[in-house]
Amino acid sequence: MTSLFTAAILGIVEGLTEFLPVSSTGHLIITGHLLGFTGEKAASFEVAIQLGAILAVVVLYWSRFWGLLFPVPNQKFSGIRGLYLLFLTSLPASVLGLLTHDFIKQHLFNPYTVAWALGVGAIMILIVEKKDLRPDCYTLDEVTPKLALGIGCFQCLALWPGFSRSAATIMGGMLLGAKRKIAAEYSFIAAVPIMFAATGYDMLKSYKLFTMADMPFLAVGFIVSFLSAWAAVKGFIYLLGKLTLRPFAYYRLAIAPLVLFFWS
């Protein structure tokens, strides 16, 4: 872990893809293989720099997170109720992820499984976008416990590297009645607790892999991930006001066979 250029490239990939429905984990695995940066330590680094992307969301939506700690009058998505909604969304994937963590890292962190996840996720996105959905949730304050738990169940699909947590939760939100843009915003906010939990758990298990000499590498990945995630989230929300998720599905379908061909 000596090339700061490698850290910067991985930070850019993480930040740009973490909150887009294209799978950050999948792109990191593919990029890592192209750069020759693989193995247990590489996988843990890729998880660690997610903290930079998480922080970008916390800063961008700071008023919402502040409201979770200090309830805002006339806002239903705040205080205890807001925390309860996020708990419901985080619960299914947290439990399933805890039970399957070792299996996933051992068997699913490779370009082949990622390619299939990219393809399957793309097809699901196109199916969802083809449906005549009529949302009844137009703001974060209209998110109900039932909707929050339902999105959490869809989030379990993201345990398959390459599927994309963002794609799973946005699709789930849309199918369950949330407007596309609101499904995306809730997806960003709901990512924070589950990603903190997953990253923290992984780092507790693998922190001994790193030495003080690795700190500059980690720092570069973290900072670049934060900056690129900031730009990606702002741009994605803007695009959702003008586009559907179909372009992201077509992109996934385009790269999935290329990944399979390249590593076959």
Side-chain angles (χ1 to χ4, degrees):
M1 297 180 68
T2 57
S3 173
L4 297 183
F5 176 76
T6 297
I9 292 297
L10 291 170
I12 291 172
V13 172
E14 161 60 26
L16 290 180
T17 60
E18 181 61 56
F19 299 104
L20 302 184
V22 296
S23 174
S24 63
T25 301
H27 280 73
L28 284 171
I29 292 172
I30 294 168
T31 305
H33 276 71
L34 289 173
L35 296 174
F37 184 64
T38 59
E40 187 177 6
K41 196 171 185 178
S44 294
F45 167 80
E46 291 164 1
V47 172
I49 62 173
Q50 288 181 344
L51 287 172
I54 297 171
L55 183 59
V57 170
V58 173
V59 173
L60 282 169
Y61 290 92
W62 70 268
S63 60
R64 282 294 184 177
F65 286 102
W66 183 262
L68 294 173
L69 300 176
F70 302 96
V72 178
N74 302 321
Q75 276 192 7
K76 293 184 178 180
F77 187 70
S78 68
I80 296 297
R81 186 179 185 278
L83 291 172
Y84 176 59
L85 293 174
L86 292 179
F87 168 77
L88 290 176
T89 301
S90 303
L91 184 60
S94 296
V95 174
L96 187 59
L98 186 64
L99 295 174
T100 60
H101 177 269
D102 293 337
F103 174 86
I104 290 172
K105 290 199 73 174
Q106 183 177 355
H107 298 287
L108 299 184
F109 271 74
N110 64 77
Y112 301 102
T113 56
V114 167
W116 284 107
L118 286 167
V120 171
I123 292 170
M124 291 183 65
I125 289 174
L126 293 175
I127 291 173
V128 170
E129 285 289 2
K130 193 173 182 180
K131 288 182 173 293
D132 182 21
L133 300 175
R134 300 184 180 182
D136 54 18
C137 176
Y138 292 89
T139 69
L140 288 174
D141 294 319
E142 294 176 356
V143 174
T144 64
K146 182 179 179 180
L147 176 58
L149 182 59
I151 292 174
C153 291
F154 273 92
Q155 188 166 228
C156 292
L157 292 169
L159 294 173
W160 180 6
F163 193 92
S164 169
R165 189 208 57 80
S166 177
T169 51
I170 294 174
M171 284 192 297
M174 290 172 61
L175 286 171
L176 296 173
K179 186 179 179 180
R180 185 185 293 106
K181 185 177 179 180
I182 297 304
E185 290 189 339
Y186 185 76
S187 170
F188 300 155
I189 295 173
V192 173
I194 190 70
M195 288 173 65
F196 261 122
T199 303
Y201 180 72
D202 189 271
M203 293 305 294
L204 282 175
K205 295 193 67 174
S206 60
Y207 74 94
K208 293 182 180 179
L209 295 172
F210 301 102
T211 66
M212 287 303 297
D214 297 323
M215 292 304 104
F217 193 90
L218 287 166
V220 169
F222 179 92
I223 294 170
V224 175
S225 173
F226 170 84
L227 294 174
S228 52
W230 177 294
V233 170
K234 296 279 284 186
F236 186 48
I237 289 298
Y238 173 78
L239 287 175
L240 284 184
K242 302 176 179 297
L243 302 172
T244 67
L245 297 178
R246 290 191 184 94
F248 299 99
Y250 298 143
Y251 167 76
R252 292 171 65 124
L253 287 173
I255 65 171
L258 292 178
V259 172
L260 280 177
F261 175 77
F262 187 83
W263 272 278
S264 62

